[in-house]
């Protein structure tokens, strides 16, 4: 998450934030909301697509207003399957549940 710069644009629980962390959607409760983003998608399928093909679906609500597609489109080349699976598992664990 740090090596790929996710925390540079997203508020991510437990990670240091970059100066631009308000650009992307807040990931604080992503484990609970990922499965509601796109009809017919599981939370895991949505996250996989969001990482590998970020232009496929643009979330509307970002901290500074409407989200723009600024996420790199080459994570499929930069991440191994194991890294991608680990990132998805981590994102699914991000919930505000006690």
């Amino acid at each position: 998450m740090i090596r790929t710069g996710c925390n540079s644009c997203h508020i991510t629980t437990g990670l240091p934030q970059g100066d631009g962390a308000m650009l992307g959607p807040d990931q604080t409760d992503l484990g609970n909301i990922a499965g509601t983003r796109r009809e017919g998608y599981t939370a895991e399928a949505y996250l996989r697509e969001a990482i590998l093909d970020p232009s496929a679906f643009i979330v509307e609500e970002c901290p500074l207003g409407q989200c723009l597609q600024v996420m790199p489109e080459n994570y499929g080349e930069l991440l191994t399957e194991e890294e991608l699976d680990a990132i998805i598992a981590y994102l699914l664990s991000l919930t505000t549940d006690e």
Side-chain angles (χ1 to χ4, degrees), residues 33-89:
I33 62 174
T36 67
R37 291 279 195 210
R38 293 193 73 178
E39 188 173 331
Y41 279 67
T42 64
E44 182 179 345
Y46 165 73
L47 292 171
R48 187 171 300 276
E49 180 184 68
I51 294 167
L52 297 177
D53 187 9
S55 295
F57 178 78
I58 307 296
V59 175
E60 291 183 17
E61 63 279 350
C62 281
L64 297 178
Q66 185 174 4
C67 297
L68 304 172
Q69 189 351 59
V70 295
M71 188 162 151
E73 304 233 3
N74 64 340
Y75 284 125
E77 299 166 18
L78 298 176
L79 300 170
T80 66
E81 277 299 312
E82 293 80 18
E83 290 171 323
L84 181 59
D85 290 344
I87 289 171
I88 291 170

Side-chain angles (χ1 to χ4, degrees), residues 2-60:
I2 294 172
R3 178 179 65 84
T4 57
C6 301
N7 62 321
S8 296
C9 294
H10 297 278
I11 295 172
T12 308
T13 305
L15 296 180
Q17 303 303 313
D19 291 338
M22 301 296 281
L23 294 176
D26 184 339
Q27 297 180 341
T28 301
D29 199 31
L30 196 54
N32 284 325
I33 62 174
T36 67
R37 291 279 195 210
R38 293 193 73 178
E39 188 173 331
Y41 279 67
T42 64
E44 182 179 345
Y46 165 73
L47 292 171
R48 187 171 300 276
E49 180 184 68
I51 294 167
L52 297 177
D53 187 9
S55 295
F57 178 78
I58 307 296
V59 175
E60 291 183 17

